Amino acid sequence: MGKYNFITIKEAASMMGGTLLSKGADGNLSSVSIDSRKISKGALFFALKGEKTDGHGFIKEAVSAGAVCCVVEKNYSELSNFSNDPGFSIITVDNTLKALQTLAKNYRDKFKDISIIGITGSSGKTTTKELLSAILEKDAPTIMNEGNLNSETGLPLALFNIRDKHKYGVFEAGIGQPGDMDILIDMLRPDYAILTNVGTAHLGFFGSKEKIAEEKMKIFHTYKNLKKGIVYEKDDFAKIVKDKHGKKIDYFGLDSQKDYLSYEDNGLNGNTIFLGKEKIVFSLIGRHNLLNAAAAIKMAKILDVSDLKIKKGIEKVASFFGRGEIFSGNISIIFDAYNSNKESVNAIIDFTSMLSWKGRKIMLLGSILEMGDKSEDIHNSIISYAFKNFDGALFFYGKEFEKGFKNMEKTEKFIFCSSNFDEMKDALLAYLKEGDLIVLKGSRGVALEKFLEIIKKNNRMVT
C-alpha cells in the first residue's frame, strides 16, 4: 500500500486508461491496495486475478473496510451492483494487473527530481538495497521498497510511496521468469542500476545462466535516463555488460575499489570496513555481505555522498530475518534461510569453514527450489562441495538431496539426509550438544525456521 494525497480518482482513471463510473465520488485517494484485508479509509482497490483467488470476489470486503474506488475488469458480472452507488467509484479496465502497472509507471513519471536506483541480482539485492537506502537517507529523504515488494505486483505498490520530498528512491527488482524485467523496468526506469551477480536462482524457469543473465541485464535499460550502472567485477557476465553499455557501466568489488576500500573479517561479529579515513563497524557476516556493502558504497560515491555519511548509514544496518542472523547461546546458530541458490550455499560453507570456532561445526542444508530439470545436478553439486570443503557434520533436508546422498562415498564424517521433518528433528536433537555452532541454509519454501525454533527451545539462548 502506498499513500499519496494529491491524486484524485479522476486522475487515477486517466493515468491508467480506465473508464470511471459513479463520478460523484471523486476526491483524493489515500492509498492503493490489492489486498482487501489491508484496506485503509479512502483506498483505491485493484481486483487482481490470481492463480488461486480473484480479487473481484472481495470487493464488498474492500468497500466495507473503507475503499472509495475499485478497479475492475470490464467483464465483471456484478458491476451493476456497484456502478450506481453515488458514494463509491468504479474504474473499469481490460486487465487490472496491467492497469496497476500503468498507473505506477505514470505516477513514477510525475517525479522529475528524484534519482531512482534499481537493483537486481540472483542474491544480495535486498541487503544491498537496505545498505544503500540507509546510506542515502543520511544525505537526503530516501524511499525504498519494503520487504519483498519487488515483483510485478509488489513494485508498483512500492512506487506509490514516492513523494515530492524524496531525493532518492532505491528499488529492488526480482524476476522469476522470462519477460519479468521488461515489465518492472517499464515502470521503474531507473536513473542508476546495480547488478549484484548472476547465479542459478530460478534456473528451472530460464533453463540456463545465460538466459538468467540476459533477463537481469535489462536493468541497464535503453531508456535515455540511465546515467550509470555497476556490476560485480568477477561476475561471469560483467564484461558482456561492459561491452554492451560502455562508459555507462563501472565495476564494483574488493579489487576495483581497493584504492579506498579495505576490510577486516571479525567472524560472527561481522566485519570492519576501512573507507578512506573512516572506520566502519559492519555487523553483517561474511565476504558475500562485504560485496553487498561494496556495491552500496560504490553507488553512494557515484551519487557524491560523503564517506562519513556512508559510515553512519552502514552502521545503522543490522541483520534481518533469514539473512545471516546470529543467535548465541549454549548452541550458537547462523540462520541464513530467507532464500538460497548454489552460489550462496557455497559462500556460507566457505565462511563457516574458515571461521575460528572452539566447538563443533554443523550445517543443515535445505533444498533449493525452482531448479527445474537442473535440480538433481545442482543438489549433487552442493553435496559434493559441502563434503569436500566442510569438515563438520552435514545434515541434508529435502527429497532433492536423496539421490546424491545415496551415491556419496563412505566417510567417517557425520552425515544425515531425510525429507521427513520429524526424522530430521530427532536426528538434530540427538546430535547437538553444548558448544556447537549450527548453520541453517535453504530456500524460503523449505521453512527452516521450524528447526530454528526447535533448537532455540531446547537450548538456553543468550540473544
Side-chain angles (χ1 to χ4, degrees), residues 351-402:
F351 169 77
T352 311
S353 296
M354 292 184 289
L355 184 68
S356 177
W357 189 257
K358 292 182 179 179
R360 302 184 304 176
K361 299 176 186 178
I362 301 121
M363 293 208 107
L364 170 57
L365 300 177
S367 294
I368 300 175
L369 307 179
E370 299 180 346
M371 292 293 102
D373 59 6
K374 306 290 185 181
S375 181
E376 184 176 322
D377 290 340
I378 292 289
H379 286 88
N380 289 350
S381 172
I382 289 171
I383 289 173
S384 177
Y385 193 87
F387 185 76
K388 292 177 181 177
N389 295 282
F390 187 68
D391 58 2
L394 291 166
F395 292 79
F396 299 100
Y397 178 58
K399 59 183 177 60
E400 291 81 1
F401 284 114
E402 290 174 350

Short mmCIF file of all heavy atoms in Angstrom, two decimals, residues 351-402:
data_model
loop_
_atom_site.label_atom_id
_atom_site.label_comp_id
_atom_site.label_asym_id
_atom_site.label_seq_id
_atom_site.Cartn_x
_atom_site.Cartn_y
_atom_site.Cartn_z
N PHE A 351 32.51 -19.55 4.39
CA PHE A 351 32.60 -18.69 5.57
C PHE A 351 32.71 -19.52 6.84
O PHE A 351 33.58 -19.28 7.69
CB PHE A 351 31.38 -17.77 5.65
CG PHE A 351 31.27 -17.04 6.97
CD1 PHE A 351 32.07 -15.94 7.23
CD2 PHE A 351 30.38 -17.47 7.95
CE1 PHE A 351 31.99 -15.27 8.45
CE2 PHE A 351 30.29 -16.82 9.17
CZ PHE A 351 31.10 -15.71 9.42
N THR A 352 31.85 -20.52 6.97
CA THR A 352 31.82 -21.33 8.19
C THR A 352 33.08 -22.18 8.31
O THR A 352 33.60 -22.39 9.41
CB THR A 352 30.58 -22.23 8.21
OG1 THR A 352 29.42 -21.45 7.90
CG2 THR A 352 30.38 -22.87 9.57
N SER A 353 33.57 -22.66 7.18
CA SER A 353 34.78 -23.48 7.20
C SER A 353 35.98 -22.70 7.71
O SER A 353 36.82 -23.22 8.47
CB SER A 353 35.09 -24.02 5.80
OG SER A 353 34.07 -24.88 5.36
N MET A 354 36.07 -21.44 7.33
CA MET A 354 37.21 -20.61 7.72
C MET A 354 37.03 -19.95 9.08
O MET A 354 37.98 -19.39 9.64
CB MET A 354 37.45 -19.53 6.65
CG MET A 354 37.93 -20.10 5.32
SD MET A 354 38.33 -18.81 4.11
CE MET A 354 36.70 -18.19 3.71
N LEU A 355 35.83 -20.04 9.63
CA LEU A 355 35.53 -19.40 10.90
C LEU A 355 36.25 -20.09 12.05
O LEU A 355 36.23 -21.31 12.18
CB LEU A 355 34.02 -19.44 11.14
CG LEU A 355 33.48 -18.74 12.38
CD1 LEU A 355 33.65 -17.23 12.26
CD2 LEU A 355 32.01 -19.09 12.58
N SER A 356 36.86 -19.29 12.91
CA SER A 356 37.52 -19.83 14.10
C SER A 356 36.46 -20.15 15.14
O SER A 356 35.70 -19.27 15.56
CB SER A 356 38.52 -18.80 14.64
OG SER A 356 39.13 -19.28 15.82
N TRP A 357 36.38 -21.43 15.56
CA TRP A 357 35.34 -21.86 16.50
C TRP A 357 35.88 -22.99 17.37
O TRP A 357 36.42 -23.97 16.86
CB TRP A 357 34.10 -22.32 15.74
CG TRP A 357 32.92 -22.58 16.62
CD1 TRP A 357 32.44 -23.79 17.03
CD2 TRP A 357 32.08 -21.59 17.21
NE1 TRP A 357 31.35 -23.62 17.84
CE2 TRP A 357 31.09 -22.27 17.98
CE3 TRP A 357 32.05 -20.19 17.19
CZ2 TRP A 357 30.11 -21.60 18.70
CZ3 TRP A 357 31.06 -19.53 17.89
CH2 TRP A 357 30.11 -20.24 18.64
N LYS A 358 35.74 -22.87 18.67
CA LYS A 358 36.29 -23.87 19.59
C LYS A 358 35.52 -25.17 19.56
O LYS A 358 36.08 -26.25 19.78
CB LYS A 358 36.32 -23.30 21.02
CG LYS A 358 37.30 -22.16 21.22
CD LYS A 358 37.30 -21.68 22.66
CE LYS A 358 38.30 -20.55 22.86
NZ LYS A 358 38.29 -20.07 24.27
N GLY A 359 34.20 -25.11 19.37
CA GLY A 359 33.38 -26.31 19.39
C GLY A 359 33.21 -26.93 18.02
O GLY A 359 33.97 -26.65 17.07
N ARG A 360 32.20 -27.78 17.90
CA ARG A 360 31.91 -28.43 16.63
C ARG A 360 31.12 -27.50 15.70
O ARG A 360 30.38 -26.63 16.16
CB ARG A 360 31.10 -29.72 16.86
CG ARG A 360 31.76 -30.72 17.77
CD ARG A 360 30.92 -31.99 17.88
NE ARG A 360 29.56 -31.73 18.33
CZ ARG A 360 28.60 -32.66 18.42
NH1 ARG A 360 28.87 -33.90 18.08
NH2 ARG A 360 27.39 -32.33 18.87
N LYS A 361 31.28 -27.74 14.41
CA LYS A 361 30.51 -27.00 13.40
C LYS A 361 29.56 -27.96 12.69
O LYS A 361 29.96 -29.08 12.33
CB LYS A 361 31.44 -26.35 12.38
CG LYS A 361 32.41 -25.34 12.94
CD LYS A 361 33.34 -24.84 11.84
CE LYS A 361 34.42 -23.92 12.38
NZ LYS A 361 35.35 -23.48 11.30
N ILE A 362 28.34 -27.51 12.48
CA ILE A 362 27.31 -28.33 11.84
C ILE A 362 26.59 -27.51 10.79
O ILE A 362 26.36 -26.31 10.99
CB ILE A 362 26.28 -28.84 12.88
CG1 ILE A 362 26.98 -29.66 13.97
CG2 ILE A 362 25.17 -29.64 12.24
CD1 ILE A 362 26.78 -29.10 15.35
N MET A 363 26.21 -28.16 9.70
CA MET A 363 25.40 -27.49 8.68
C MET A 363 24.14 -28.28 8.42
O MET A 363 24.19 -29.50 8.20
CB MET A 363 26.18 -27.33 7.37
CG MET A 363 27.35 -26.40 7.45
SD MET A 363 27.69 -25.65 5.83
CE MET A 363 27.12 -24.00 6.09
N LEU A 364 23.00 -27.56 8.44
CA LEU A 364 21.74 -28.13 7.99
C LEU A 364 21.39 -27.41 6.70
O LEU A 364 21.04 -26.23 6.69
CB LEU A 364 20.64 -27.92 9.03
CG LEU A 364 19.21 -28.24 8.59
CD1 LEU A 364 19.09 -29.68 8.08
CD2 LEU A 364 18.21 -28.00 9.71
N LEU A 365 21.49 -28.13 5.59
CA LEU A 365 21.24 -27.56 4.28
C LEU A 365 19.89 -28.04 3.75
O LEU A 365 19.68 -29.24 3.59
CB LEU A 365 22.35 -27.95 3.30
CG LEU A 365 23.77 -27.49 3.68
CD1 LEU A 365 24.78 -28.00 2.67
CD2 LEU A 365 23.81 -25.96 3.77
N GLY A 366 18.99 -27.08 3.52
CA GLY A 366 17.68 -27.42 2.97
C GLY A 366 17.69 -27.32 1.46
O GLY A 366 18.57 -26.68 0.85
N SER A 367 16.72 -27.93 0.83
CA SER A 367 16.63 -27.96 -0.63
C SER A 367 16.57 -26.56 -1.23
O SER A 367 16.11 -25.61 -0.60
CB SER A 367 15.39 -28.73 -1.07
OG SER A 367 15.48 -30.09 -0.72
N ILE A 368 17.03 -26.46 -2.47
CA ILE A 368 16.90 -25.25 -3.27
C ILE A 368 15.77 -25.49 -4.25
O ILE A 368 15.79 -26.45 -5.03
CB ILE A 368 18.20 -24.92 -4.01
CG1 ILE A 368 19.33 -24.71 -3.00
CG2 ILE A 368 18.03 -23.68 -4.87
CD1 ILE A 368 20.67 -24.49 -3.64
N LEU A 369 14.78 -24.62 -4.25
CA LEU A 369 13.59 -24.82 -5.06
C LEU A 369 13.70 -24.09 -6.40
O LEU A 369 14.60 -23.30 -6.63
CB LEU A 369 12.36 -24.36 -4.28
CG LEU A 369 12.21 -24.97 -2.88
CD1 LEU A 369 10.96 -24.43 -2.19
CD2 LEU A 369 12.18 -26.50 -2.95
N GLU A 370 12.78 -24.41 -7.30
CA GLU A 370 12.66 -23.78 -8.62
C GLU A 370 13.88 -24.00 -9.51
O GLU A 370 14.29 -23.13 -10.25
CB GLU A 370 12.38 -22.28 -8.47
CG GLU A 370 11.08 -21.98 -7.73
CD GLU A 370 10.81 -20.49 -7.60
OE1 GLU A 370 11.74 -19.70 -7.84
OE2 GLU A 370 9.67 -20.12 -7.28
N MET A 371 14.45 -25.20 -9.43
CA MET A 371 15.60 -25.54 -10.25
C MET A 371 15.24 -26.32 -11.50
O MET A 371 16.08 -26.59 -12.35
CB MET A 371 16.62 -26.33 -9.43
CG MET A 371 17.31 -25.55 -8.32
SD MET A 371 18.39 -24.24 -8.93
CE MET A 371 17.36 -22.79 -8.65
N GLY A 372 13.98 -26.75 -11.61
CA GLY A 372 13.54 -27.47 -12.80
C GLY A 372 14.34 -28.73 -13.05
O GLY A 372 14.70 -29.46 -12.12
N ASP A 373 14.64 -28.99 -14.33
CA ASP A 373 15.36 -30.21 -14.67
C ASP A 373 16.85 -30.14 -14.31
O ASP A 373 17.59 -31.11 -14.48
CB ASP A 373 15.19 -30.56 -16.16
CG ASP A 373 15.69 -29.46 -17.09
OD1 ASP A 373 16.27 -28.47 -16.60
OD2 ASP A 373 15.49 -29.59 -18.31
N LYS A 374 17.29 -29.00 -13.77
CA LYS A 374 18.68 -28.85 -13.31
C LYS A 374 18.80 -29.21 -11.82
O LYS A 374 19.91 -29.18 -11.27
CB LYS A 374 19.16 -27.42 -13.51
CG LYS A 374 19.01 -26.89 -14.93
CD LYS A 374 19.96 -27.56 -15.89
CE LYS A 374 19.87 -26.92 -17.27
NZ LYS A 374 20.77 -27.55 -18.26
N SER A 375 17.69 -29.53 -11.18
CA SER A 375 17.68 -29.70 -9.73
C SER A 375 18.64 -30.78 -9.25
O SER A 375 19.40 -30.59 -8.30
CB SER A 375 16.25 -30.03 -9.24
OG SER A 375 16.23 -30.18 -7.85
N GLU A 376 18.62 -31.93 -9.91
CA GLU A 376 19.48 -33.03 -9.47
C GLU A 376 20.95 -32.64 -9.55
O GLU A 376 21.72 -32.89 -8.61
CB GLU A 376 19.21 -34.27 -10.32
CG GLU A 376 19.99 -35.49 -9.85
CD GLU A 376 19.66 -36.75 -10.63
OE1 GLU A 376 18.46 -36.95 -10.97
OE2 GLU A 376 20.58 -37.54 -10.93
N ASP A 377 21.34 -32.02 -10.65
CA ASP A 377 22.74 -31.62 -10.81
C ASP A 377 23.14 -30.57 -9.77
O ASP A 377 24.24 -30.64 -9.21
CB ASP A 377 22.97 -31.05 -12.21
CG ASP A 377 22.89 -32.11 -13.30
OD1 ASP A 377 23.03 -33.30 -12.97
OD2 ASP A 377 22.70 -31.74 -14.47
N ILE A 378 22.25 -29.63 -9.51
CA ILE A 378 22.54 -28.56 -8.54
C ILE A 378 22.73 -29.16 -7.15
O ILE A 378 23.70 -28.84 -6.43
CB ILE A 378 21.41 -27.52 -8.52
CG1 ILE A 378 21.38 -26.73 -9.82
CG2 ILE A 378 21.55 -26.59 -7.31
CD1 ILE A 378 22.51 -25.77 -10.03
N HIS A 379 21.82 -30.03 -6.73
CA HIS A 379 21.90 -30.60 -5.38
C HIS A 379 23.07 -31.57 -5.24
O HIS A 379 23.70 -31.63 -4.18
CB HIS A 379 20.57 -31.27 -5.02
CG HIS A 379 19.49 -30.28 -4.71
ND1 HIS A 379 18.68 -29.75 -5.70
CD2 HIS A 379 19.12 -29.69 -3.55
CE1 HIS A 379 17.84 -28.88 -5.14
NE2 HIS A 379 18.08 -28.83 -3.85
N ASN A 380 23.37 -32.30 -6.30
CA ASN A 380 24.56 -33.15 -6.27
C ASN A 380 25.83 -32.31 -6.13
O ASN A 380 26.78 -32.70 -5.42
CB ASN A 380 24.64 -34.00 -7.54
CG ASN A 380 23.59 -35.10 -7.57
OD1 ASN A 380 22.91 -35.35 -6.59
ND2 ASN A 380 23.43 -35.73 -8.72
N SER A 381 25.83 -31.17 -6.80
CA SER A 381 26.98 -30.26 -6.73
C SER A 381 27.15 -29.72 -5.32
O SER A 381 28.28 -29.62 -4.81
CB SER A 381 26.79 -29.11 -7.71
OG SER A 381 27.78 -28.12 -7.54
N ILE A 382 26.05 -29.39 -4.67
CA ILE A 382 26.11 -28.87 -3.30
C ILE A 382 26.63 -29.93 -2.34
O ILE A 382 27.48 -29.66 -1.47
CB ILE A 382 24.72 -28.37 -2.85
CG1 ILE A 382 24.37 -27.07 -3.60
CG2 ILE A 382 24.66 -28.15 -1.34
CD1 ILE A 382 22.96 -26.62 -3.40
N ILE A 383 26.13 -31.16 -2.49
CA ILE A 383 26.61 -32.27 -1.64
C ILE A 383 28.11 -32.45 -1.82
O ILE A 383 28.86 -32.57 -0.84
CB ILE A 383 25.87 -33.57 -2.00
CG1 ILE A 383 24.41 -33.50 -1.53
CG2 ILE A 383 26.56 -34.78 -1.36
CD1 ILE A 383 23.56 -34.68 -1.98
N SER A 384 28.56 -32.44 -3.06
CA SER A 384 29.98 -32.62 -3.34
C SER A 384 30.82 -31.48 -2.76
O SER A 384 31.86 -31.72 -2.14
CB SER A 384 30.20 -32.70 -4.86
OG SER A 384 31.57 -32.81 -5.17
N TYR A 385 30.35 -30.25 -2.92
CA TYR A 385 31.10 -29.09 -2.42
C TYR A 385 31.17 -29.11 -0.89
O TYR A 385 32.23 -28.86 -0.31
CB TYR A 385 30.44 -27.80 -2.90
CG TYR A 385 31.32 -26.58 -2.71
CD1 TYR A 385 32.24 -26.21 -3.67
CD2 TYR A 385 31.24 -25.82 -1.54
CE1 TYR A 385 33.06 -25.10 -3.50
CE2 TYR A 385 32.06 -24.71 -1.35
CZ TYR A 385 32.96 -24.36 -2.33
OH TYR A 385 33.79 -23.27 -2.14
N ALA A 386 30.03 -29.41 -0.27
CA ALA A 386 30.00 -29.46 1.20
C ALA A 386 30.90 -30.57 1.73
O ALA A 386 31.62 -30.40 2.72
CB ALA A 386 28.56 -29.67 1.68
N PHE A 387 30.86 -31.72 1.08
CA PHE A 387 31.65 -32.87 1.50
C PHE A 387 33.15 -32.57 1.44
O PHE A 387 33.92 -32.93 2.32
CB PHE A 387 31.30 -34.07 0.62
CG PHE A 387 31.96 -35.35 1.04
CD1 PHE A 387 31.52 -36.07 2.13
CD2 PHE A 387 33.05 -35.84 0.33
CE1 PHE A 387 32.14 -37.24 2.52
CE2 PHE A 387 33.67 -37.02 0.70
CZ PHE A 387 33.21 -37.72 1.80
N LYS A 388 33.55 -31.85 0.38
CA LYS A 388 34.97 -31.57 0.18
C LYS A 388 35.47 -30.38 1.00
O LYS A 388 36.65 -30.33 1.36
CB LYS A 388 35.24 -31.30 -1.31
CG LYS A 388 35.06 -32.51 -2.20
CD LYS A 388 35.28 -32.15 -3.66
CE LYS A 388 35.08 -33.36 -4.57
NZ LYS A 388 35.23 -33.00 -6.01
N ASN A 389 34.61 -29.43 1.30
CA ASN A 389 35.07 -28.16 1.86
C ASN A 389 34.61 -27.88 3.29
O ASN A 389 35.05 -26.90 3.88
CB ASN A 389 34.60 -27.00 0.96
CG ASN A 389 35.22 -27.04 -0.41
OD1 ASN A 389 36.37 -26.66 -0.60
ND2 ASN A 389 34.46 -27.52 -1.39
N PHE A 390 33.76 -28.75 3.85
CA PHE A 390 33.29 -28.52 5.21
C PHE A 390 33.68 -29.72 6.07
O PHE A 390 33.33 -30.87 5.75
CB PHE A 390 31.77 -28.33 5.22
CG PHE A 390 31.22 -27.93 6.56
CD1 PHE A 390 31.50 -26.69 7.10
CD2 PHE A 390 30.43 -28.81 7.30
CE1 PHE A 390 31.00 -26.32 8.34
CE2 PHE A 390 29.93 -28.45 8.54
CZ PHE A 390 30.22 -27.20 9.06
N ASP A 391 34.38 -29.46 7.18
CA ASP A 391 34.90 -30.57 7.98
C ASP A 391 34.02 -30.92 9.16
O ASP A 391 34.38 -31.77 9.98
CB ASP A 391 36.32 -30.24 8.47
CG ASP A 391 36.38 -28.96 9.29
OD1 ASP A 391 35.32 -28.34 9.51
OD2 ASP A 391 37.49 -28.56 9.70
N GLY A 392 32.84 -30.33 9.26
CA GLY A 392 31.93 -30.65 10.35
C GLY A 392 30.83 -31.60 9.91
O GLY A 392 30.88 -32.21 8.84
N ALA A 393 29.80 -31.74 10.75
CA ALA A 393 28.67 -32.63 10.45
C ALA A 393 27.75 -31.99 9.42
O ALA A 393 27.56 -30.77 9.41
CB ALA A 393 27.89 -32.92 11.74
N LEU A 394 27.18 -32.82 8.56
CA LEU A 394 26.31 -32.34 7.48
C LEU A 394 24.94 -33.00 7.57
O LEU A 394 24.83 -34.23 7.61
CB LEU A 394 26.94 -32.65 6.12
CG LEU A 394 28.21 -31.86 5.75
CD1 LEU A 394 28.90 -32.50 4.55
CD2 LEU A 394 27.84 -30.40 5.46
N PHE A 395 23.90 -32.18 7.58
CA PHE A 395 22.52 -32.64 7.52
C PHE A 395 21.90 -32.09 6.24
O PHE A 395 21.93 -30.88 6.01
CB PHE A 395 21.72 -32.14 8.73
CG PHE A 395 22.12 -32.74 10.04
CD1 PHE A 395 23.25 -32.29 10.72
CD2 PHE A 395 21.37 -33.76 10.61
CE1 PHE A 395 23.62 -32.84 11.94
CE2 PHE A 395 21.73 -34.32 11.83
CZ PHE A 395 22.85 -33.86 12.49
N PHE A 396 21.35 -32.97 5.41
CA PHE A 396 20.70 -32.56 4.17
C PHE A 396 19.20 -32.81 4.29
O PHE A 396 18.77 -33.94 4.51
CB PHE A 396 21.26 -33.33 2.98
CG PHE A 396 22.73 -33.12 2.75
CD1 PHE A 396 23.66 -34.07 3.18
CD2 PHE A 396 23.20 -31.98 2.12
CE1 PHE A 396 25.01 -33.88 2.99
CE2 PHE A 396 24.56 -31.79 1.92
CZ PHE A 396 25.47 -32.73 2.36
N TYR A 397 18.40 -31.74 4.13
CA TYR A 397 16.96 -31.83 4.36
C TYR A 397 16.20 -31.57 3.06
O TYR A 397 16.25 -30.49 2.50
CB TYR A 397 16.54 -30.82 5.42
CG TYR A 397 15.06 -30.79 5.71
CD1 TYR A 397 14.39 -31.93 6.13
CD2 TYR A 397 14.34 -29.61 5.57
CE1 TYR A 397 13.02 -31.90 6.41
CE2 TYR A 397 12.98 -29.56 5.85
CZ TYR A 397 12.33 -30.70 6.27
OH TYR A 397 10.97 -30.66 6.54
N GLY A 398 15.53 -32.61 2.55
CA GLY A 398 14.73 -32.46 1.34
C GLY A 398 14.95 -33.61 0.38
O GLY A 398 16.05 -34.14 0.27
N LYS A 399 13.90 -33.96 -0.32
CA LYS A 399 13.97 -35.09 -1.26
C LYS A 399 14.95 -34.83 -2.40
O LYS A 399 15.47 -35.77 -3.02
CB LYS A 399 12.59 -35.41 -1.81
CG LYS A 399 11.91 -34.28 -2.57
CD LYS A 399 10.51 -34.68 -3.02
CE LYS A 399 9.77 -33.55 -3.71
NZ LYS A 399 10.46 -33.06 -4.92
N GLU A 400 15.20 -33.56 -2.68
CA GLU A 400 16.11 -33.22 -3.77
C GLU A 400 17.54 -33.69 -3.51
O GLU A 400 18.33 -33.84 -4.45
CB GLU A 400 16.11 -31.71 -4.03
CG GLU A 400 14.82 -31.16 -4.62
CD GLU A 400 13.72 -30.94 -3.59
OE1 GLU A 400 13.96 -31.19 -2.38
OE2 GLU A 400 12.63 -30.51 -3.98
N PHE A 401 17.88 -33.93 -2.25
CA PHE A 401 19.23 -34.37 -1.90
C PHE A 401 19.38 -35.89 -1.89
O PHE A 401 20.50 -36.41 -1.86
CB PHE A 401 19.60 -33.86 -0.50
CG PHE A 401 19.96 -32.40 -0.44
CD1 PHE A 401 19.17 -31.50 0.26
CD2 PHE A 401 21.10 -31.93 -1.08
CE1 PHE A 401 19.51 -30.17 0.34
CE2 PHE A 401 21.45 -30.58 -1.01
CZ PHE A 401 20.65 -29.71 -0.30
N GLU A 402 18.28 -36.62 -1.89
CA GLU A 402 18.32 -38.05 -1.57
C GLU A 402 19.17 -38.87 -2.53
O GLU A 402 19.98 -39.70 -2.11
CB GLU A 402 16.90 -38.61 -1.49
CG GLU A 402 16.14 -38.09 -0.26
CD GLU A 402 14.68 -38.52 -0.24
OE1 GLU A 402 14.21 -39.06 -1.27
OE2 GLU A 402 14.02 -38.32 0.80
#
